[in-house]
Amino acid sequence: MKKLALGAVLLVVGLALTACSAAAAPKTAPTHTPIPVAEDAALIAKRIKGCSDVQSADIAKGGPALASTATCTIDGHTVNINSWASSDDANLDTVLAQDARDVYYARGDAWTVTLGDDPTLQYQLTNQADKLLADAFGGPNASPADASAEQHVAKVAVASLGGQVHHFTP
């Protein structure tokens, strides 16, 4: 009888220990929050009122945060639309600080819209050092910065997409 009682006690203790360790361990693998997929820049461009001749462009050697890029024309101006991996990546201030000039641009949830009449900023964002170097040695070939056109294009984008007009000053 003592052996039977001892066996029962050991069985109960063993089951209790198994239950405790099973309760401590998760029953399913932990899930990860899915990373949102950035919207295609050409689709963003098509939602901008007055944005005509929308064309997808090549992100070239752009960093991992640059998801896609497109161009269009607004009121005779070339416009660059970029989509980013996240809203934090859509902050262009670090890149703009290198240019040392005032710039207006539109920024929303993982997208930016910039005036593209001067392709220098877009070459920087897409990491096209060869084109930046060629422009530097070729002399000034872009039109001077047009703050009023930058501001106008940014306002047009924000009116259609939401977001904000940003004014970077060095």
Side-chain angles (χ1 to χ4, degrees), residues 128-150:
Q128 295 186 60
D130 57 332
K131 291 184 179 181
L132 289 167
L133 190 60
D135 282 356
F137 283 113
N141 59 357
S143 57
D146 185 348
S148 64
E150 288 175 346

Side-chain angles (χ1 to χ4, degrees), residues 59-86:
I59 64 169
K61 298 174 187 171
L66 182 60
S68 64
T69 186
T71 61
C72 75
T73 303
I74 295 177
D75 296 330
H77 296 283
T78 300
V79 177
N80 295 312
I81 302 91
N82 293 302
S83 71
W84 302 90
S86 74

Side-chain angles (χ1 to χ4, degrees), residues 138-159:
N141 59 357
S143 57
D146 185 348
S148 64
E150 288 175 346
Q151 191 173 25
H152 171 71
V153 165
K155 286 180 178 180
V156 168
V158 167

Side-chain angles (χ1 to χ4, degrees), residues 36-47:
V37 176
E39 186 175 359
D40 183 71
L43 294 176
I44 295 169
K46 289 178 182 179
R47 294 193 336 245

Side-chain angles (χ1 to χ4, degrees), residues 11-32:
L11 179 62
V12 169
V13 171
L15 288 173
L17 288 174
T18 303
C20 287
S21 65
K27 294 181 180 176
T28 60
T31 59
H32 297 285

